[in-house]
Amino acid sequence: MTCGMPFKVLLVEGSAVLRQVICRILQMPGLPETSCLVAENSEAAEPLLSAHAVDLIILDTNALASEPGSLLQHAGRTQKLPTPPCIVISADATAIRVQQMFDLGATAYLPKPFAPAALRFEIERSLRAAPISN
Amino acid sequence: MLPPSLTEIGEALDQSIQHTLEIMCFAEAAPAPAGHAEPSMRARVAFRSSLAGFLELAITPTAARTLAAALLGLPAGEPPCKDDVDGTICELSTVICGRFLSLFDPSSSLQLESPRLGVHASTAPGLRLSFKLDDGDLIASVHLD
């Protein structure tokens, strides 16, 4: 992020209700200023990743339209190094899925249900450590 | 490995429902005796892990609207739109199903289908739990293949 520019967040979430909830969390007081790109699924997210440098990806595994790794691999190809952090949220808390997503490049994994404060904490932690995108 | 008992499945489902409603909607679900009239809103999520089948949630529309308003953080007196109520029930069904199965068998791989709204009540045998919410009823049932 350059001085005065908001962090750019890519939210990949299939549920319209959760998109509203997460966008509201991103606007919580005390968090760095963000602008949010929104995609309903990973297919819709790929062109956004190609067109924009993002500081953080928030990805719901229910929004994965293809192989779980393809979106994160796409981020690896299109984003400047180091690739942006990725918070994965999921209704699936099995050890296999958690390990799979970390292996693919997730930097945090929040099983649902999560308290808004838990996601807020991960967003703040991720943005404080995010590479400069602009 | 022995197949799970209905008691074990029921305990995991009960825990998942109460925890999910509390965390996502700040709502308390009190176990209630069976026999209430069947609530009219219904969502179904099919799953496959070490168990396969589907989870069904049936909820009274008033309670569904209250849960949606709480999830979205709407100010008092501002009702959620129908799409948001439907979306809330679908999301709750998915989360409850995922948590229930993750609790029940954390070492299995899990597949959850997209939730379906407006399905007819299943007549298949299954486990059924009833809850009383602040302003309505919720019935959760699990049907195994």
Side-chain angles (χ1 to χ4, degrees), chain A residues 24, chain B residues 65 68-70 72-81 84:
Chain A
R24 186 166 295 188
Chain B
R65 285 192 289 273
L72 288 164
L74 298 180
E78 183 179 326
C81 67
D84 286 343

Side-chain angles (χ1 to χ4, degrees), chain A residues 10 54-58 72 82-88 105-108 122-123 125-131:
Chain A
L10 173 62
V54 303
D55 298 293
L56 172 65
I57 300 169
I58 301 174
L72 295 177
T83 50
C86 177
I87 301 170
V88 171
T107 50
E122 290 298 346
I123 291 168
R125 195 168 68 101
S126 299
L127 290 179
R128 300 287 180 214

Side-chain angles (χ1 to χ4, degrees), chain B residues 11-144:
Chain B
E11 285 172 356
L13 181 59
D14 179 85
Q15 197 275 359
S16 299
I17 289 168
Q18 301 208 36
H19 181 73
T20 299
L21 293 182
E22 182 185 344
I23 294 290
M24 291 180 70
C25 304
F26 318 105
E28 190 172 332
H36 288 291
E38 191 75 10
S40 60
M41 266 195 92
R42 190 179 305 278
R44 181 182 294 177
V45 178
F47 59 82
R48 182 166 295 280
S49 64
S50 59
L51 304 173
F54 62 89
L55 175 138
E56 218 170 72
L57 279 192
I59 185 166
T60 46
T62 313
R65 285 192 289 273
T66 301
L67 294 179
L71 176 62
L72 288 164
L74 298 180
E78 183 179 326
C81 67
K82 181 181 181 306
D83 284 350
D84 286 343
V85 177
D86 290 351
T88 296
I89 299 312
C90 284
E91 182 64 19
L92 287 173
S93 303
T94 302
V95 174
I96 288 168
C97 190
R99 180 172 173 85
F100 151 64
L101 292 163
S102 299
L103 270 180
F104 194 75
D105 191 356
S107 60
S108 271
S109 82
L110 170 59
Q111 289 179 304
L112 295 176
E113 299 292 324
S114 296
R116 290 168 49 210
L117 266 182
V119 294
H120 293 294
S122 173
T123 54
L127 175 82
R128 187 180 155 101
L129 299 179
S130 298
F131 296 89
K132 196 82 186 157
L133 306 179
D134 276 348
D135 50 5
D137 301 318
L138 181 144
I139 296 174
S141 55
V142 171
H143 306 264
L144 300 178

Side-chain angles (χ1 to χ4, degrees), chain A residues 57-61 72 86-90 97 101-102 105-111:
Chain A
I57 300 169
I58 301 174
L59 168 65
D60 189 333
T61 56
L72 295 177
C86 177
I87 301 170
V88 171
I89 58 177
S90 181
R97 180 63 105 173
M101 296 311 296
F102 277 119
T107 50
Y109 195 102
L110 273 183

